[in-house]
Structure formats: C-alpha cells, structure tokens
Amino acid sequence: MSRFGIRDRLKQRLGLGKPEREIVLHTVTYVLPDGSDQTVEAEEHYSLLMASQSLPSPISTGRRAGGTCPDGRCASCRVEVLDARGLTEMADAERSSMDAAVRGDDHEGRARAPMPPPTAKTRLACHTKIIGSGARVQVSELFDYDSIRGGPEGG
C-alpha cells in the first residue's frame, strides 16, 4: 500500500482494485430542547454526536469549541434515547464514563461536580453509534455558537 493510498485509488479507477465501500445512510430523529423534531441522515457507524453536526446547532458537549473530549470520558454529551432502534448497545467504556461523571471524578486533570444519575435511557452521544434507521433521541442542550463569537473588540 502506498503512503496515501494512491496506488489503490489508481487501481480502482482502472477497474483493477476492490470496489469502494458503499456509504450507507440511516435516519435519526433528534427531539430538540424546544420540543421540535429534526430528522437527519447519518452515515452508518457515525456516533449520535457526529450525526448531530447536521442539526442547526450540534449537541452541546460542554467543550469551548463544541468538540468532543479526547478520551470520550467527560460524559457531558448525555442524551435520552426515546427509541433505540438502529443504535448500538451500551458498552463498558460508556458505562464507566457515566459512572465516573456521576461520582464527580476528575477529568483531564480538572475537578468536576458530580452529574445527576443516569436513567435507563441515558446514553452518551459520543459513544452511541448508528447502525440502522429509526432512532429517536431527546437532546437536552445544543451548542451555543454565541459562546465562542466574542464581543465587538474580539474578546
């Protein structure tokens, strides 16, 4: 394999390589904080957080620029799954992240206040993958773009 996959892409164009992977899209409905529904199409295996980038404003993560934490353990992208069709099951890493947040364990070297206990439907949007259509997810908070715009003087 060449460094940037150029050889594979050339073979593909000449009909000699393996076919490109087909992109499969699934629908997910987000119930926004104002109660409105927004349905988006997301690529299979995207997380709910990644798919929320198609919303007018993505799911809030508590991060300054709206991104995810580097280790997926901040647990600030909590959502309530109203219909779990087409979503992966909760894995141990997700459960561990939520438990640590509920206890108020330090994250990224910073103290944090304990979060409320999860319900049976609480999931972390960064861990929950889309594997089919039909999911319905309640979002409690969207990212606030005004929080990063600054004032007229740039501050």
PDB file of all heavy atoms in Angstrom, residues 64 111 119:
ATOM      1  N   ARG A  64     -15.368  24.157  24.835  1.00  0.00           N
ATOM      2  CA  ARG A  64     -15.407  25.533  24.336  1.00  0.00           C
ATOM      3  C   ARG A  64     -15.741  25.610  22.851  1.00  0.00           C
ATOM      4  O   ARG A  64     -16.551  26.400  22.432  1.00  0.00           O
ATOM      5  CB  ARG A  64     -14.086  26.233  24.607  1.00  0.00           C
ATOM      6  CG  ARG A  64     -14.059  27.624  24.005  1.00  0.00           C
ATOM      7  CD  ARG A  64     -13.417  28.614  24.926  1.00  0.00           C
ATOM      8  NE  ARG A  64     -13.160  29.860  24.256  1.00  0.00           N
ATOM      9  CZ  ARG A  64     -14.039  30.825  24.101  1.00  0.00           C
ATOM     10  NH1 ARG A  64     -15.258  30.681  24.540  1.00  0.00           N
ATOM     11  NH2 ARG A  64     -13.724  31.949  23.492  1.00  0.00           N
ATOM     12  N   ALA A 111     -11.126  19.129  38.384  1.00  0.00           N
ATOM     13  CA  ALA A 111     -12.243  18.660  39.195  1.00  0.00           C
ATOM     14  C   ALA A 111     -13.549  18.958  38.462  1.00  0.00           C
ATOM     15  O   ALA A 111     -13.626  19.897  37.672  1.00  0.00           O
ATOM     16  CB  ALA A 111     -12.237  19.371  40.548  1.00  0.00           C
ATOM     17  N   THR A 119     -30.690   7.744  33.754  1.00  0.00           N
ATOM     18  CA  THR A 119     -31.889   6.915  33.734  1.00  0.00           C
ATOM     19  C   THR A 119     -31.566   5.672  32.907  1.00  0.00           C
ATOM     20  O   THR A 119     -30.469   5.553  32.354  1.00  0.00           O
ATOM     21  CB  THR A 119     -33.082   7.654  33.097  1.00  0.00           C
ATOM     22  OG1 THR A 119     -32.817   7.810  31.690  1.00  0.00           O
ATOM     23  CG2 THR A 119     -33.300   9.015  33.739  1.00  0.00           C
TER      24      THR A 119
END
